[in-house]
Amino acid sequence: MILRRTVLISCLGLTLVVGVGAASNDVAGTPAPTAATAPAAGRSADDAVNRVVAISVDGLNPQAIRRLGRSRTPNFHRLMRQGAVTLNARTAREQTRTLPNHTGMLTGRRIDARRGGHGVTFNSDTGTTVHRAAGHRVASVFDVVHGHGGSTALFAAKTKFALFQRTWRPTIDRFTVDPDNSRLVSAVTGELRRAPRTFTFVHLSLPDQVGHSRGFMGAAYLRAVRRTDRLLGRILSTLRSRPSLRKHTLVVLTADHGGRGTSHGNARRLANYRVPFMVWGPGVAAGKNLYRLSARYRSPGSARTRYSGRQPIRNGDLANVVTDVLDLPRVPGSQLNARRGLHAIR
């Protein structure tokens, strides 16, 4: 049953415009799947999963998790110990900025619209939509989940995420913006306790905020990562404390970019384009490296990588990880993980 759509904005009013749809063209010239076919009959390893919570930690340099260690980031390390993980995933090649990479997470597309990408090259809310940026309608994971009877929510700590509500308003049942990360997580955990959605996307911003003002990987930044770990712990505790959630909810965590110094804009710097990708939940191969589980992918070492040949795991793979584990069709027009070769579940 579809739950009533709710829009909550804590700090500004928003103009909302509609838009959903599909597009084509795949990375490296391979046609992207476009048919919204029903999943094949029979059982699969991810049958237990009927909900997904996706978490994006804005500006999370995975080296911070290594440096802080298990004692100071116990919840990130819980995901690493109990989930399938890599700390060497990649952002979009074209840019290491917030809106372009989050658009990729939600659409499964690269950025360059000339090559089938989503076209969001800007990093502030200009009042437009993803459709206008691409020059055609662009489908999202919200469209797929909602279109197959599921409910969705987007919780964000930055007001510019209004771009996504404006673009996919009919298929986002709840949209909440609150720059206070702790208060935002309270809203997330409250909904998980009362009426969990089929797909919930959570954006946390503390590392990025502190990184820009005090420097990525500095002492203040590392404290922000520790605070974010505690926020992550609140979400995980909510899931673990309720059997119906613990047994049926998958968590996917990644980042839009890393950072070093007071910036992350240079897409040629390893510290900016290297991000984590973690999958945790029922049936996940605990403590395994995602590259070892996913033969179609190749660990890139320190390379930036292009979109040709065997790919690294990218933050944009998130969209079709979600559709895959929920036994739904691929996001129409998606390019990243379109063959659904990223495997985390045994």
Side-chain angles (χ1 to χ4, degrees):
M1 178 176 69
I2 304 300
L3 300 178
R4 180 173 60 88
R5 181 177 297 114
T6 306
V7 181
L8 300 176
I9 309 297
S10 67
C11 51
L12 85 171
L14 295 177
T15 302
L16 303 173
V17 183
V18 302
V20 295
S24 60
N25 296 328
D26 193 16
V27 173
T30 304
T34 56
T37 56
R43 297 186 60 80
S44 60
D46 58 17
D47 280 350
V49 177
N50 56 30
R51 304 185 192 280
V52 177
V53 176
I55 303 171
S56 173
V57 182
D58 203 319
L60 178 59
N61 185 328
Q63 292 302 103
I65 299 172
R66 294 188 186 277
R67 184 174 299 183
L68 289 166
R70 180 174 175 178
S71 64
R72 291 184 288 178
T73 49
N75 296 295
F76 284 118
H77 279 78
R78 178 186 296 278
L79 297 187
M80 294 169 65
R81 187 174 67 256
Q82 298 178 352
V85 173
T86 178
L87 297 183
N88 196 31
R90 291 292 180 265
T91 65
R93 173 179 169 82
E94 299 97 324
Q95 291 191 34
T96 50
R97 298 196 297 168
T98 297
L99 282 184
N101 274 272
H102 279 95
T103 310
M105 293 180 206
L106 298 174
T107 64
R109 293 172 182 253
R110 59 178 297 178
I111 295 173
D112 190 349
R114 298 168 300 177
R115 299 181 179 273
H118 54 67
V120 176
T121 59
F122 47 88
N123 198 34
S124 59
D125 185 12
T126 64
T128 189
T129 65
V130 177
H131 310 315
R132 292 183 190 132
H136 51 72
R137 295 192 174 203
V138 176
S140 72
V141 64
F142 296 116
D143 295 332
V144 176
V145 174
H146 198 276
H148 286 79
S151 58
T152 64
L154 171 56
F155 296 84
K158 290 183 176 179
T159 59
K160 61 187 174 183
F161 276 60
L163 166 69
F164 304 134
Q165 168 66 359
R166 188 182 303 113
T167 300
W168 297 301
R169 181 184 182 187
T171 60
I172 301 176
D173 295 303
R174 173 173 179 171
F175 179 58
T176 300
V177 173
D178 194 333
D180 185 314
N181 281 227
S182 180
R183 197 164 56 207
L184 186 74
V185 168
S186 292
V188 173
T189 56
E191 179 159 278
L192 288 174
R193 287 191 296 267
R194 292 189 303 272
R197 310 281 176 167
T198 310
F199 174 58
T200 301
F201 189 93
V202 182
H203 163 257
L204 303 175
S205 65
L206 280 174
D208 185 68
Q209 291 174 6
V210 175
H212 282 292
S213 62
R214 305 287 295 278
F216 291 85
M217 295 303 294
Y221 173 84
L222 294 176
R223 287 194 295 272
V225 174
R226 293 183 66 183
R227 288 173 60 196
T228 302
D229 183 85
R230 292 193 288 272
L231 296 174
L232 172 62
R234 289 169 55 187
I235 296 173
L236 297 182
S237 294
T238 300
L239 297 176
R240 292 168 60 221
S241 66
R242 286 159 176 76
S244 62
L245 293 177
R246 183 180 69 247
K247 294 177 182 179
H248 301 291
T249 304
L250 195 78
V251 173
V252 184
L253 183 145
T254 188
D256 53 347
H257 55 77
R260 192 82 185 186
T262 56
S263 176
H264 54 77
N266 185 346
R268 294 178 174 83
R269 291 192 69 183
L270 175 63
N272 298 337
Y273 61 67
R274 181 172 57 194
V275 294
F277 201 105
M278 305 182 179
V279 184
W280 177 88
V284 172
K288 298 297 184 180
N289 185 293
L290 278 171
Y291 283 108
R292 294 182 181 176
L293 295 171
S294 307
R296 289 181 178 173
Y297 288 83
R298 175 177 292 163
S299 180
S302 60
R304 180 180 170 206
T305 70
R306 297 182 180 275
Y307 288 110
S308 57
R310 282 173 64 191
Q311 289 293 291
I313 293 167
R314 295 188 187 273
N315 54 17
D317 292 335
L318 184 149
N320 281 321
V321 168
V322 174
T323 62
D324 191 9
V325 298
L326 293 177
D327 295 324
L328 297 174
R330 299 162 181 82
V331 177
S334 59
Q335 302 166 305
L336 305 175
N337 197 25
R339 296 181 180 179
R340 304 212 268 207
L342 202 166
H343 301 301
I345 295 179
R346 293 186 295 269

